[in-house]
Amino acid sequence: MQNTIRAAALAAALLPAAGAVAQSLPPVALERWGSFHVGGREVVVTGQPVREVLFSPGGVPARVDPNGTYLMGGMYAQYMIPANPRGQAPMLLWHGGGLTGVTWETTPDGREGWQHFFLRRGWPIYVSDAVERGRAGWTQIPEQTGGQALTLTVDNPFERFRIGAGPGSYLRQQVLPGNQFPADRESYLNFVRQVVPRFTTTDALALDAYLALLDRVGPSVVVAHSQAGLFGWRAAQERPDKVRALVLVEPATIGDPAKVAALRNIPVLMIYGDYIAQDARWPAIRANGVRFAEAVRAAGGSVDVVDLPERGIRGNSHMIMMDRNSDEVAGLVQEWLAARGLWR
């Protein structure tokens, strides 16, 4: 039985934090709203010592045997299905490195994120937490993860994500001229609170989980940010029948050069923000992406590369979906998808 959930019911769950930007927006009606986990594999651990663990102060110690079978590499996904869908396929929102699906939800300064933007336009939305992130669960089995998790200092995203004006800019509180990221202290720290540990050695596990997600949901529009650009490209190459379109927001890397032909029937949009030319890393990252796009075109595919400043959309950091002009960029994506017959 279908249940319609009105925005009056959503409001309590989606209220922004104190001090956040207030918005007066019309109600949203949902047919369904839920979540699930998908993917993963069983791993057997042996040879570890048994120990006693006190789980709670004042409790009774329990004997813990770490040997046995574990399930690792699963992924979490939350879905919101509009009552009157207009998107011709579900939209999957895939986050970048060291982050979770929160990327797409409420912005650090309390505005609705891209999850809401596209939901309001009738897209069925699936927001996921990738392997080893957020609600996807966690494991520290070295033989499986292949390395140690990395975490970020408070100043790292400010200086690396093209928010601040280079090294030392966080201490100076110096943002790039015209930067659109909500970089006031309260909003920025709200963003840093979203940052989670990440591995650089679990790409294969993550890709397997994304493929399992596509297999479960079916043909979809994939919107991927930063690190997830790799998974967007590779998932489209491995499941070309399951990706209706691929939107890559500042992809950090490319797909498999040996499989570019698999992308020939998948329209691709690549979006890059501002301040790239003066950055230490992003000119090379963008150049690699453009070369890969050219290889896809040479194989018969269609790739549109959009540099936002050339469209008159200026001041975007690496976190485009959180910037103050995020709705303007989402509108560009919406128009591109509609022009390809994916929205009615």
Side-chain angles (χ1 to χ4, degrees):
M1 179 177 179
Q2 295 180 347
N3 295 317
T4 299
I5 305 175
R6 297 287 174 184
L10 285 175
L14 301 179
L15 280 174
V21 176
Q23 290 177 295
S24 297
L25 295 167
V28 175
L30 300 182
E31 173 191 304
R32 286 179 289 122
W33 177 15
S35 63
F36 58 85
H37 287 78
V38 67
R41 66 189 188 199
E42 292 186 352
V43 174
V44 177
V45 172
T46 60
Q48 300 299 309
V50 176
R51 56 198 177 98
E52 290 211 339
V53 176
L54 183 65
F55 289 105
S56 301
V60 177
R63 182 176 179 273
V64 175
D65 184 351
N67 300 290
T69 301
Y70 293 80
L71 180 63
M72 64 169 295
M75 171 179 289
Y76 169 87
Q78 181 188 76
Y79 58 87
M80 291 184 174
I81 312 301
N84 298 297
R86 301 186 67 184
Q88 298 301 288
M91 179 179 288
L92 312 185
L93 300 175
W94 296 359
H95 63 77
L99 298 168
T100 69
V102 173
T103 289
W104 308 103
E105 297 175 3
T106 307
T107 65
D109 57 347
R111 292 169 290 118
E112 289 190 349
W114 280 19
Q115 176 190 43
H116 301 80
F117 181 96
F118 290 106
L119 180 66
R120 287 184 177 281
R121 282 148 187 82
W123 291 91
I125 300 294
Y126 289 72
V127 176
S128 53
D129 290 356
V131 172
E132 310 290 358
R133 318 282 177 83
R135 289 168 289 186
W138 179 263
T139 182
Q140 294 191 47
I141 304 173
E143 294 81 7
Q144 300 300 318
T145 58
Q148 184 175 357
L150 302 175
T151 56
L152 299 182
T153 59
V154 172
D155 58 334
N156 183 287
F158 193 90
E159 299 175 6
R160 188 161 61 92
F161 289 177
R162 307 198 315 277
I163 299 169
S169 58
Y170 178 73
L171 290 177
R172 300 191 304 270
Q173 286 298 288
Q174 179 186 5
V175 299
L176 287 161
N179 188 275
Q180 293 279 5
F181 189 88
D184 62 278
R185 179 173 174 80
E186 181 180 0
S187 297
Y188 180 72
L189 292 181
N190 279 341
F191 171 60
V192 175
R193 290 183 183 103
Q194 302 175 21
V195 176
V196 296
R198 63 163 291 185
F199 287 93
T200 60
T201 50
T202 56
D203 287 355
L205 286 171
L207 178 59
D208 285 347
Y210 279 121
L211 294 176
L213 180 64
L214 277 170
D215 289 340
R216 173 160 177 165
V217 177
S220 303
V221 171
V222 173
V223 180
H225 174 239
S226 194
Q227 181 204 16
L230 169 66
F231 306 124
W233 283 123
R234 292 295 307 278
Q237 290 175 315
E238 297 299 323
R239 298 286 193 279
D241 59 323
K242 298 289 177 64
V243 179
R244 298 284 302 277
L246 185 57
V247 178
L248 301 174
V249 183
E250 294 216 342
T253 189
I254 62 175
D256 185 347
K259 296 182 178 181
V260 290
L263 300 164
R264 66 167 66 93
N265 295 320
I266 301 172
V268 180
L269 173 64
M270 301 172 69
I271 299 174
Y272 295 95
D274 214 335
Y275 314 108
I276 285 179
Q278 64 263 44
D279 190 78
R281 300 168 62 246
W282 272 97
I285 295 171
R286 181 190 173 281
N288 290 339
V290 170
R291 278 194 296 272
F292 189 74
E294 292 169 350
V296 175
R297 292 191 195 108
S302 171
V303 184
D304 294 312
V305 178
V306 172
D307 292 290
L308 294 176
E310 294 182 4
R311 297 288 186 95
I313 303 175
R314 301 185 181 280
N316 286 102
S317 70
H318 181 52
M319 302 305 300
I320 290 172
M321 70 297 298
M322 295 181 182
D323 291 335
R324 289 187 295 269
N325 62 353
S326 58
D327 280 2
E328 187 175 5
V329 183
L332 182 152
V333 174
Q334 170 68 22
E335 291 175 5
W336 184 86
L337 291 169
R340 277 140 195 84
L342 291 166
W343 186 80
R344 58 177 174 81

